[in-house]
Amino acid sequence: EPEVTQTPSHQVTQMGQEVILRCVPISNHLYFYWYRQILGQKVEFLVSFYNNEISEKSEIFDDQFSVERPDGSNFTLKIRSTKLEDSAMYFCASTSGFFTGELFFGEGSRLTVL
Amino acid sequence: AQSVTQLGSHVSVSEGALVLLRCNYSSSVPPYLFWYVQYPNQGLQLLLKYTTGATLVKGINGFEAEFKKSETSFHLTKPSAHMSDAAEYFCAVSKTGGGADGLTFGKGTHLIIQP
């Protein structure tokens, strides 16, 4: 069964370092998303991406964040200079179309900023 | 603006008992509503969704939810809990089917099944 895969599963980094989280969405999907979940808090929308550009982004997604689809399969989230408060589980999701209602999520990448 | 409130961060039921997880939403437009489940060390998986039409929707693993517009609720139920139902459950709302604006999630309810 097709699935969304994310790497790494866990990354530990020092404050101020750049981090890239990688996602391989399901191959025929066209819409891609990043969400994050700080420990004990709700899952929060960060950004959606379609046709090689950002469709929507939340206020969390500031200039420290960027997304890219560098080739036909990968979808990356870059945090330019990590802060302690960026420590969270980051989920990638994809869907074939806006109105299917179902997002397919990866297992998440846990980011720990020290 | 949309928001979701899930009552009870933890719910504990006995195996075989009724499961009821509560979700109330706020939306300025007719909502699309979802329940997702997250098993340990896994991603979120769609349980069921309400878009339009029948207000009682059935999902996987015997779960169902009823959209009640007058109560702005979308509670999740299962008649008889099974040990394998132990997981984190998230209610979510979207203005569309989960499109560009993404989903707004509740804080989640951890379901504990007592043997």
Side-chain angles (χ1 to χ4, degrees), chain A residues 84-107:
Chain A
L84 295 176
E85 55 264 36
D86 293 328
S87 294
M89 181 73 91
Y90 289 81
F91 292 104
C92 175
S94 69
T95 187
S96 57
F98 275 177
F99 298 102
T100 65
E102 178 170 7
L103 300 188
F104 293 81
F105 284 83
E107 293 186 358

Side-chain angles (χ1 to χ4, degrees), chain B residues 23 33-35 48-50 57 65-67 73-76:
Chain B
C23 172
L33 295 160
F34 308 84
W35 276 98
L48 50 78
K49 65 182 180 185
Y50 168 78
V57 291
E66 186 171 11
F67 169 59
S73 69
F74 191 58
H75 301 331
L76 181 71

Side-chain angles (χ1 to χ4, degrees), chain A residues 10-19 79 81-88 90 110-114:
Chain A
H10 189 192
Q11 181 158 357
V12 181
T13 190
Q14 295 292 323
M15 191 169 54
Q17 294 296 304
E18 177 183 284
V19 160
I79 308 175
S81 178
T82 49
K83 308 184 194 68
L84 295 176
E85 55 264 36
D86 293 328
S87 294
Y90 289 81
R110 180 168 297 285
L111 176 64
T112 302
V113 182
L114 302 176

Side-chain angles (χ1 to χ4, degrees), chain A residues 33 35 37 40-45 48 55-56 91 95 97-108, chain B residues 4 32 34 36 38 41-46 49 51 90 96-107:
Chain A
Y33 309 82
Y35 289 79
Q37 184 181 28
Q41 299 187 25
K42 61 177 67 178
V43 177
E44 300 172 293
F45 169 73
S48 61
S55 300
E56 293 282 341
F91 292 104
T95 187
F98 275 177
F99 298 102
T100 65
E102 178 170 7
L103 300 188
F104 293 81
F105 284 83
E107 293 186 358
Chain B
V4 173
Y32 286 48
F34 308 84
Y36 279 81
Q38 184 182 28
N41 300 316
Q42 295 187 26
L44 285 75
Q45 178 185 1
L46 181 69
K49 65 182 180 185
T51 53
F90 296 92
T96 60
D101 63 325
L103 298 175
T104 299
F105 285 89
K107 278 193 167 186

Side-chain angles (χ1 to χ4, degrees), chain B residues 25-37:
Chain B
Y25 70 90
S26 169
S27 178
S28 56
V29 298
Y32 286 48
L33 295 160
F34 308 84
W35 276 98
Y36 279 81
V37 60

Side-chain angles (χ1 to χ4, degrees), chain B residues 3-8 11 18-26 31-36 47-50 54-59 62-79 89-93 109 111:
Chain B
S3 65
V4 173
T5 302
Q6 291 183 240
L7 295 177
V11 169
L18 171 72
V19 174
L20 171 61
L21 304 183
R22 298 177 188 274
C23 172
N24 288 88
Y25 70 90
S26 169
Y32 286 48
L33 295 160
F34 308 84
W35 276 98
Y36 279 81
L47 263 184
L48 50 78
K49 65 182 180 185
Y50 168 78
T55 56
L56 180 64
V57 291
K58 296 185 185 300
F63 284 93
E64 60 183 37
E66 186 171 11
F67 169 59
K68 291 187 176 180
K69 184 178 178 181
S70 60
E71 299 177 8
T72 60
S73 69
F74 191 58
H75 301 331
L76 181 71
T77 60
K78 181 174 180 177
Y89 290 81
F90 296 92
C91 182
V93 64
T109 299
L111 178 62

